[in-house]
Amino acid sequence: MNNTLLNTLKAAREGLAERLDSMTLPVEIPHGDMPGDKVLITESHVAKAKTILPVLVDKMIAALENKPLQRCVISVCGGSGVGKSETASLLGWYLGQLGAKSYILSGDNYPHRIPEYNDAERLRVFRDFGLKGLVASGLHTAEISETLHELMEADKDADPALCSEYGWLSVYQAAGRRGLKGYLGTPNEIDFDRVNGIIAQF
């Protein structure tokens, strides 16, 4: 059995916290395979990655004990905007410094639609559910419809700051967000079969 990765991680486990603190992050580190993805790493992301890594190394060692191919898959999960890309990039970089090569696969790179059309679909879902929410609440009138159309044309219908000016807009936006929960990060948006196929091949 090829225990290269397993032995590398076992050796890296000793004094890992001190080793992490001694590492200097370069200005640019590799990140996921999403073209044009913006990864902005802060001290908060670094602190979280350093907290996660010792636990992750232990779990990787346990997972690799009986793996002839010496490979494992790590999932970084969470809601939109919580720092998944930054955390994954940091974990990948730190593992590389320890001698464990990795590839960062970005789920956002595998939607059913190209980014331009996917953004349009997100907006369509938000507006469709928002409008239905207004109707269901009995707030939809000709005057509100005209104002809403103007806000849509200016791409301001999702701006929460305008809810104080237009009281009904909070109902519209809340319904739109509920609609997005059924789309964002679900099989309706992401081609998980393709992602799972890539992981299985790995």
Side-chain angles (χ1 to χ4, degrees), residues 4-199:
T4 303
L5 179 55
L6 180 59
N7 291 334
T8 295
L9 291 173
K10 284 182 176 179
R13 182 165 51 180
E14 300 301 322
L16 181 55
E18 292 77 11
R19 289 185 65 184
L20 291 177
D21 287 337
S22 69
M23 294 179 189
T24 302
L25 278 170
V27 176
E28 292 287 336
I29 64 173
H31 49 83
D33 57 2
M34 175 71 177
D37 197 15
K38 302 296 183 186
V39 177
L40 303 173
I41 293 173
T42 66
E43 287 300 318
S44 173
H45 296 121
V46 172
K48 289 173 185 174
K50 287 182 177 180
T51 300
I52 293 169
L53 196 63
V55 178
L56 180 60
V57 166
D58 285 341
K59 290 186 177 294
M60 289 176 70
I61 289 171
L64 291 166
E65 286 287 358
N66 297 303
K67 297 278 188 183
L69 292 179
Q70 290 293 279
R71 296 173 183 169
C72 63
V73 176
I74 300 159
S75 297
V76 179
C77 306
S80 180
V82 299
K84 297 184 297 296
S85 296
E86 290 79 4
T87 301
S89 298
L90 284 166
L91 292 175
W93 186 81
Y94 282 126
L95 286 170
Q97 298 306 297
L98 299 175
K101 295 180 180 179
S102 65
Y103 179 84
I104 303 169
L105 186 150
S106 173
D108 287 342
N109 197 27
Y110 298 88
H112 291 293
R113 301 167 180 84
I114 64 172
E116 179 184 359
Y117 295 150
N118 194 42
D119 287 344
E121 179 63 10
R122 289 175 174 180
L123 185 58
R124 186 200 67 77
V125 168
F126 176 81
R127 288 176 170 173
D128 180 53
F129 275 82
L131 188 56
K132 288 175 180 175
L134 278 180
V135 172
S137 299
L139 295 173
H140 191 263
T141 66
E143 182 181 353
I144 284 176
S145 178
E146 184 178 347
T147 302
L148 180 59
H149 180 73
E150 291 172 0
L151 292 175
M152 287 178 175
E153 287 289 308
D155 282 327
K156 292 183 177 180
D157 54 309
D159 186 351
L162 294 177
C163 291
S164 57
E165 183 177 352
Y166 307 105
W168 50 267
L169 192 59
S170 60
V171 174
Y172 167 85
Q173 291 179 2
R177 288 193 296 271
R178 286 194 298 273
L180 284 175
K181 283 184 179 180
Y183 180 73
L184 297 176
T186 72
N188 295 325
E189 179 181 33
I190 305 296
D191 189 351
F192 287 113
D193 287 340
R194 183 179 176 203
V195 173
N196 288 334
I198 293 170
I199 292 172

